[in-house]
Every structure is written in C-alpha cells, then in structure tokens.
Amino acid sequence: MGEFELIRHYFAAAPCAQGGDGVVRGIGDDCALLALAAGEQLAVSTDSLVAGVHFPDPCDPFLLGQRALAVSTSDLAAMGATPLAFTLALTLPTASEAWLAAFARGLQAMAQSCALTLVGGDTTRGPLSLTLSVFGRVPAGQALTRCGARVGDLLCVGGSLGDAAGALPLVLGQREAAAEIAEPLLARYWSPQPQLALGQALRGRATAALDISDGLLADCGHIAQASGVALQVESARLPLSAALRAFAGEQQALACALSGGDDYRLAFTLPPALLAEVQAEWPEVQVIGRVLAGSGVQLLDAQGRAMLSPRGGYQHF
Ligand code: ADP
Ligand code: MG
C-alpha cells in the first residue's frame, strides 16, 4: 500500500474526517480551512508522543490511537475551548495494515466522543511517533488561562488523581492485579476522558486552569508562577481512587497523585463563592487547597504541617 492509498484508506475515508462544524475544507488540499464565528478565538495545541518515551513499544494500536487524541484534546478542555478539528502527523516504521486499521479505530472512537474532525496531517517513515494538533473555538477573551489565580481562591481538581501513574507497572507488564483493580487503572492510562464539558462550564468562573499532565505539584507550579501567587496543597484532601489505594498502597498512591504524570484532569482556581454551584453540577470536583500570597507550591501533610514535596513532574531535559 502506497502513501496516498494509506492516507485515503485509513484517514481521509474515516468517519471522523467527514464534514464537521466549522470545517470548510478538510483532508485533500494543501491546507485545511476552518471557519470561526465572529467573536470567537481559535485555541491551538500540539503534542508529540514518541514510542518508548510516552507509550510502551509495542502496544495495542487501538489504545494508542485513543490515548493520543485524548492527551491532545485535554489541552482544549483546560482552556475551556469547544473542540473543532485536529491534524495527525504519523511516523511509522512499516505500513502494517492490521496496525493502521486498529489505530484508526482508536482515533475514530476518541474523535467521535470529543466531536473532533480530522482535517489533515502528514505520513512519513521512521521510528514510531505521533504528533497531533488540536483546534478549538472559544468566545473571545473567555479562554481559561494559567495566569488569573487570586489570593483567596480555592484550588480544585476535576476528579481522582494518580491512577494513570499508578497503572504504569500494569501498562509495562511488570505487575498484575485482579480485574476490578487493573481495569479502572488501565482505563485511566489508556483512555483518559478530556474534561471538555467541565472546562467549558468553568469559563467565566475559574480564575486559572490547566490540565494535569506532568504531575499535580509540577503543574500547580505553572499556575503559581504564571499568576504570581503561591498554591497550598493539602495532601489529606487529594482524591485517591479505591483501586489506586488497593494496588499501590496509601503512601505510593499519594506519591502518584502528587508527582505522577498522565492524569489529564483539570486543576483550577475558583472564588469560594462559586464552589457550591460548580459542585452541584460537577460532584467529582474536589477542593485540594488554596491560593496564598507568595510564590511556589506548598504541600501540607495530614496534620497541616509543611511537607517536603517529592520530586517534581516529568521533564525531558
Ligand atoms: P502535502 O504534500 O501538500 O503536504 P501530503 O501529500 O503530505 O500533502 O498529504 C495529502 C493530504 O493528506 C493533505 O491534505 C494532508 O493534510 C493529508 N494527510 C496526510 N497524512 C495524513 C494523516 N496521517 N492523517 C490525516 N491526513 C493526512
Ligand atoms: Mg505533507
């Protein structure tokens, strides 16, 4: 199968590459054309996933397709953007039809669940890697950024933390667990659900937001720095799933929640007066700390004493 036949068969002909609100021109020209309504801004984000660095190689291609798009789309959620379209730059060592078919199915599943249209990409030969760019729309001036946290705001997260990091020994085949423990943890690694609806609901409410990809403490550090404030995290308030506690034990579960990557939950700062209405609609939202004057991230233990925080999030260099 040649390059163009491959692109046509697995990508241009995929259901997720047809039509789409705001897509004027999709795959097949030199550029895709996207239309925004008056008063909207375009939110753009790119993520690369490299075999052996961001995912084990070999791995299930369906799960990889699903996860690659989820990871990128989580950035749209973090800005409060509504998904519009995405592109896929795919580098493959070989053009295996079974691999491509499964990968395209995984991509399709996540594209459908996130209402994203595939509008272009690039296909090359080399060591397996994927680069996805996602595009979203947001009312002008209303995107959630990292820089608006104010002293007195609450620090909140959109659900349990640490599950994906805790699942790594399962992902890598180093450990096994009973299905009722392994399945929810593996699902949080392989098919994180971008918190798109929560992000959109936080427009005009949250003062700062991001998605947790590199670990809670490291990512909170980004909000603290961009907003010129300090964030205080109370370790006793971190939402840890029953599966993670059972699999990793209490101490390791806490370490995964604080410093493990790949959560793809939103973390955001919220004026206290808005908490009740947000939690009424989103009961999974938990307060884990607050915004203080100062700089950096402080971690409190269960007795409210300052703790030395474990190593920060993942850094490539
Ligand atoms: P060009 O040479 O103009 O860059 P290509 O020959 O690389 O175009 O690709 C042809 C068309 O197929 C373009 O519209 C491109 O965006 C699209 N495309 C290429 N690879 C992919 C892919 N992996 N997924 C989706 N679209 C792709
Ligand atoms: Mg090209």
Side-chain angles (χ1 to χ4, degrees):
M1 179 177 286
E3 177 186 328
F4 296 109
E5 171 67 3
L6 184 162
I7 294 169
R8 195 193 61 72
H9 188 77
Y10 293 106
F11 301 114
C16 64
Q18 315 309 313
D21 212 22
V23 177
V24 179
R25 191 105 176 90
I27 293 176
D29 220 310
D30 292 305
C31 290
L33 296 174
L34 304 178
L36 292 182
E40 286 182 338
Q41 291 173 328
L42 187 64
V44 179
S45 174
T46 296
D47 278 295
S48 292
L49 299 184
V50 177
V53 178
H54 299 96
F55 57 89
D57 187 25
C59 71
D60 180 327
F62 175 90
L63 295 174
L64 179 62
Q66 206 177 47
R67 180 168 187 270
L69 187 54
V71 164
S72 295
T73 306
S74 182
D75 285 320
L76 294 179
M79 296 296 284
T82 302
L84 179 54
F86 72 105
T87 61
L88 167 69
L90 184 59
T91 303
L92 291 171
T94 54
S96 151
E97 297 195 16
W99 192 97
L100 278 160
F103 175 80
R105 276 201 309 277
L107 199 70
Q108 169 64 35
M110 192 53 70
Q112 191 171 346
S113 100
C114 296
L116 278 165
T117 305
L118 177 60
V119 296
D122 201 18
T123 305
T124 52
R125 187 192 292 267
L128 178 61
S129 79
L130 318 164
T131 298
L132 285 89
S133 295
V134 288
F135 305 88
R137 53 169 98 245
V138 68
Q142 287 188 40
L144 302 172
T145 68
R146 300 175 175 191
C147 56
R150 289 188 296 246
V151 174
D153 287 344
L154 301 172
L155 174 62
C156 303
V157 291
S160 66
L161 300 176
D163 291 328
L168 269 185
L170 298 169
V171 171
L172 297 173
Q174 296 164 344
R175 267 188 75 186
E176 290 183 0
E180 67 269 22
I181 289 175
E183 278 169 14
L185 294 181
L186 284 168
R188 291 280 305 127
Y189 179 86
W190 281 115
S191 43
Q193 296 300 315
Q195 297 195 290
L196 290 161
L198 175 60
Q200 289 162 41
L202 290 175
R203 291 201 307 245
R205 290 170 164 163
T207 51
L210 49 60
D211 66 318
I212 305 169
S213 54
D214 298 331
L216 176 72
L217 292 176
D219 285 321
C220 283
H222 298 317
I223 292 184
Q225 184 164 25
S227 297
V229 295
L231 296 188
Q232 186 182 69
V233 175
E234 296 173 52
S235 59
R237 301 181 82 167
L238 297 181
L240 306 175
S241 73
L244 179 62
R245 287 173 195 265
F247 182 65
E250 209 65 32
Q251 271 313 108
Q252 190 57 27
L254 184 61
C256 288
L258 290 170
S259 307
D262 295 329
D263 277 312
Y264 303 107
R265 300 278 198 206
L266 299 189
F268 55 95
T269 55
L270 190 72
L274 300 180
L275 180 65
E277 68 183 53
V278 169
Q279 280 182 326
E281 204 181 339
W282 307 96
E284 63 274 36
V285 165
Q286 301 276 324
V287 176
I288 60 160
R290 57 203 180 111
V291 181
L292 303 174
S295 64
V297 181
Q298 306 169 8
L299 183 61
L300 301 185
D301 69 12
Q303 285 72 44
R305 292 176 305 224
M307 267 169 89
L308 277 183
S309 56
R311 199 177 60 81
Y314 189 81
Q315 294 193 18
H316 286 269
F317 300 104

